[in-house]
């Protein structure tokens, strides 16, 4: 399975900055290593420029950080899957913890976005993760299992499992400098794989599960070797081309 290394640029970088970082990344990396895919998630306004900057460079793709689950309509400030696809981007992030917590996105809405994106032909990364409080009160399994299964009701049939990716991002590890321990990552990824098996049977083995939360060049290689870790979702350390290229090559 190709490992997927994704850069979540959040609310950083205008079009010019995004273009420059992608150019610099391409110059440093020269060629994306075999068995690796790279996806950049710039802000909406930098999507089109980023697609142009990638310029069909092998195994580098572009995606949006969010989406609205409708073809079109009176949804001020929102953007549809078709609009995303129209820029040349082919991926989307759904359910990031910053949207769940800062913008109070509910699981029902995240489910609609996930399913609508998949139906629309976008490769979709569903982000899940527990808060420290959930973890400390023994609710890791319940939280992850519920977040995964609630988002994946009503998948398209036939369903290509390669179009769905799940990112495990413990809320307490995002942007905090605290990376989860290896045992914690393995435990969470096993829970997610098992939840996927309950929904998809054998197809679950083909769904990539990424780890995200304070990934850096120094810890990327070790995390990528863990069981059931099929890639990384990187925030802060993806903003500089040099550190992100080290992570992609780790
Ligand atoms: P971080 O963010 O790497 O800065 O912790 C990860 C994410 O939010 O996807």
């Amino acid at each position: 399975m190709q490992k997927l290394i994704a850069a979540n640029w959040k609310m950083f970088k205008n079009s010019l900055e995004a273009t420059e970082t992608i150019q610099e990344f391409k110059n440093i990396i020269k060629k994306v290593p075999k068995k690796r895919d790279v996806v950049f998630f710039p802000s909406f306004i930098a999507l089109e420029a980023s697609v142009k900057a990638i310029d069909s460079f092998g195994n580098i793709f572009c995606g949006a950080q969010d989406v609205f689950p409708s073809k079109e309509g009176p949804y001020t400030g929102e953007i549809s899957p078709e609009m995303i696809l129209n820029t040349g981007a082919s991926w989307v992030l759904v359910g990031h913890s910053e949207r769940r917590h800062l913008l109070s996105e509910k699981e029902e809405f995240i489910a609609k976005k996930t399913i609508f994106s998949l139906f629309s032909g976008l490769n979709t990364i569903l982000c899940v993760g527990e808060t420290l409080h959930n973890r400390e009160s023994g609710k890791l399994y319940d939280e992850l299992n519920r977040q995964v299964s609630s988002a994946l009701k009503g998948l398209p049939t036939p369903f290509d499992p390669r179009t769905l990716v799940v990112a495990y991002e413990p809320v307490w590890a995002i942007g905090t400098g605290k990376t989860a321990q290896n045992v914690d990552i393995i435990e969470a990824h096993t829970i997610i794989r098992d939840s996927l098996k309950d929904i998809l049977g054998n197809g679950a083995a083909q769904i990539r599960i990424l780890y995200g939360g304070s990934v850096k060049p120094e810890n990327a290689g070790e995390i990528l070797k863990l069981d059931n870790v099929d890639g990384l979702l990187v925030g802060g350390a993806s903003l500089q081309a040099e550190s992100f290229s080290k992570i992609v090559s780790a």
Side-chain angles (χ1 to χ4, degrees):
M1 189 174 342
Q2 298 268 117
K3 300 246 191 217
L4 174 67
I5 317 290
N8 177 9
W9 282 349
K10 310 190 180 187
M11 204 174 74
F12 294 98
K13 296 189 191 292
N14 59 28
S15 297
L16 181 63
E17 291 161 341
T19 302
E20 285 172 355
T21 309
I22 290 169
Q23 287 296 359
E24 198 187 338
F25 173 81
K26 282 166 49 178
N27 291 341
I28 299 173
I29 202 101
K30 301 207 168 58
K31 202 167 178 256
V32 172
K34 262 195 207 141
K35 302 228 166 191
R36 296 267 152 112
D37 289 326
V38 173
V39 188
F40 286 101
F41 289 94
S43 70
F44 286 147
I45 55 147
L47 260 186
E48 213 160 335
S50 299
V51 170
K52 279 205 188 100
I54 292 168
D55 191 21
S56 308
F57 196 91
N59 291 9
I60 307 185
F61 308 94
C62 195
Q65 294 173 21
D66 191 35
V67 65
F68 191 82
S70 185
K71 202 169 172 314
E72 59 182 4
Y75 307 111
T76 303
E78 297 297 327
I79 170 167
S80 71
E82 224 168 273
M83 290 169 177
I84 295 169
L85 288 163
N86 202 253
T87 66
S90 49
W91 284 81
V92 70
L93 276 184
V94 168
H96 191 279
S97 76
E98 282 151 15
R99 299 200 65 88
R100 289 180 194 256
H101 299 287
L102 296 173
L103 297 158
S104 309
E105 281 195 4
K106 297 279 169 290
E107 280 176 9
E108 210 187 340
F109 190 45
I110 293 165
K112 280 189 186 153
K113 292 186 190 197
T114 309
I115 299 300
F116 198 81
S117 297
L118 289 165
F119 265 98
S120 306
L122 279 168
N123 297 298
T124 304
I125 302 185
L126 167 69
C127 305
V128 299
E130 82 288 2
T131 59
L132 194 56
H133 175 72
N134 288 329
R135 170 169 279 271
E136 285 173 347
S137 50
K139 291 193 183 130
L140 179 72
Y141 174 86
D142 288 349
E143 271 300 308
L144 295 181
N145 185 256
R146 199 197 61 248
Q147 288 181 26
V148 170
S149 41
S150 70
L152 299 180
K153 281 194 198 108
L155 286 170
T157 43
F159 176 64
D160 179 356
R162 290 166 304 182
T163 60
L164 173 69
V165 172
V166 178
Y168 168 61
E169 297 205 303
V171 177
W172 46 272
I174 297 177
T176 57
K178 283 187 211 149
T179 318
Q181 301 289 312
N182 291 349
V183 284
D184 297 334
I185 299 176
I186 293 170
E187 183 189 12
H189 282 226
T190 306
I191 294 172
I192 293 168
R193 184 76 69 201
D194 288 346
S195 306
L196 291 170
K197 274 185 205 151
D198 289 344
I199 303 164
L200 284 157
N202 291 341
Q206 288 182 63
I207 295 183
R208 289 180 281 190
I209 305 176
L210 316 184
Y211 169 77
S214 299
V215 173
K216 307 179 262 291
E218 298 76 42
N219 59 20
E222 190 182 331
I223 299 173
L224 279 170
K225 283 195 206 109
L226 301 176
D227 268 0
N228 274 317
V229 174
D230 308 307
L232 304 166
L233 180 53
V234 190
S238 72
L239 293 169
Q240 272 81 43
E242 203 181 325
S243 68
F244 188 55
S245 63
K246 283 186 188 146
I247 293 172
V248 170
S249 316

